[in-house]
Amino acid sequence: MLTRLLPDDVMVSELFTDPPDVALFPQEAEVVAGAVEARRREFATVRRCARTALARLGVAPGPILPAREGPPWAHRAPKWPDGVVGSMTHCDGYRAAAVARRPAVASVGVDAEPNAPVPDGVAELVMLPEERGILERLVVAEPAIAWDRLLFSAKESVFKAWYPLTGRWLDFSECVIEPDPVRGTFTGTLKVPGPVVSGKRIDRFEGRWRSLAGEGPGHLATAVVVRGRGPLC
């Protein structure tokens, strides 16, 4: 699902089930020792995806631990090997990781979601007035897509690409998402000063999205890649 959204120098690995007996490094197993079984499975599978993707970059297997750096809300962000940027995502029925080498890629953000409306009350928290107008038109044009969920996913991908470049929180209200239903792209226009990459300030992130049919509603995926010389997908 994500492979088709990312350039060739971003390595992707994805799985739609949790394989049995995925091996974790002892340090990783300690992180989820007290978690419920479902959480342990998704944690292990997404790290298997990450190690597979890293191997395609020539990186030897190693533990992928929470960074536990910066403000408390950032402590769960993964700490990647030196010279590597990456992003992981998981939802019901899907796990994936995407990694790339610096300095060609400055950051990458990926997210996957079920193709189903967001829970009650969430749209009001994540959606700006201008986005509501955009989504009203999209729902009429393409009702098979859960556009509110796609918008949420796009904001997640933007945040995952934003945070490694800034070390700062980006609120849902600080980025306006506009999907293109024909090209399978989206723009995330910042309402706050953006990061500076290679001497150039980024005022908006460019991303790509797609839907994939499957059991139930299927899935949605979004991806953002920031090049070392500026944002590019």
Side-chain angles (χ1 to χ4, degrees):
M1 185 162 64
L2 279 171
T3 303
R4 293 173 56 183
L5 299 182
L6 294 161
D8 291 343
D9 56 350
V10 178
M11 302 296 114
V12 179
S13 176
E14 49 192 354
L15 289 168
F16 290 85
T17 60
D18 292 319
D21 303 322
V22 176
L24 288 175
F25 283 84
Q27 306 97 306
E28 294 172 328
E30 185 178 347
V31 172
V32 288
V36 298
E37 182 181 354
R39 169 59 181 155
R40 294 197 302 271
R41 286 200 307 267
E42 70 181 15
F43 182 94
T45 302
V46 79
R47 276 156 178 78
R48 173 172 173 170
C49 290
R51 278 189 270 277
T52 300
L54 286 166
R56 293 170 184 160
L57 289 180
V59 178
I64 302 169
L65 300 171
R68 303 192 188 281
E69 297 173 351
W73 50 262
H75 284 190
R76 291 179 63 182
K79 186 174 180 62
W80 297 103
D82 291 343
V84 172
V85 296
S87 181
M88 298 190 292
T89 185
H90 51 78
C91 66
D92 288 345
Y94 185 76
R95 307 3 178 151
V99 296
R101 290 279 190 185
R102 291 191 180 107
V105 176
S107 70
V108 57
V110 299
D111 186 70
E113 300 285 338
N115 183 23
V118 297
D120 290 344
V122 173
E124 289 76 10
L125 294 175
V126 305
M127 209 176 299
L128 294 164
E130 54 264 53
E131 292 170 332
R132 294 190 184 99
I134 293 169
L135 263 60
E136 286 173 3
R137 296 191 294 272
L138 291 171
V139 167
V140 173
E142 185 56 72
I145 302 297
W147 291 105
D148 57 349
R149 182 78 73 157
L150 179 67
L151 183 144
F152 173 84
S153 179
K155 291 198 176 191
E156 288 287 302
S157 285
V158 167
F159 177 80
K160 291 178 181 180
W162 151 282
Y163 175 69
L165 301 175
T166 65
R168 303 196 309 271
W169 178 260
L170 182 69
D171 195 79
F172 287 118
S173 65
E174 295 174 331
C175 179
V176 180
I177 299 294
E178 185 169 2
D180 186 322
V182 176
R183 297 175 59 200
T185 61
F186 65 88
T187 59
T189 303
L190 299 174
K191 303 183 79 171
V192 294
V196 175
V197 177
S198 298
K200 180 179 179 181
R201 184 171 296 280
I202 299 175
D203 295 317
R204 71 177 190 175
F205 289 88
E206 305 285 348
R208 299 180 67 190
W209 69 271
R210 70 172 302 208
S211 63
L212 188 66
E215 294 185 9
H219 291 93
L220 300 169
T222 57
V224 171
V225 174
V226 179
R227 289 286 179 186
R229 297 181 179 87
L232 184 67
C233 259

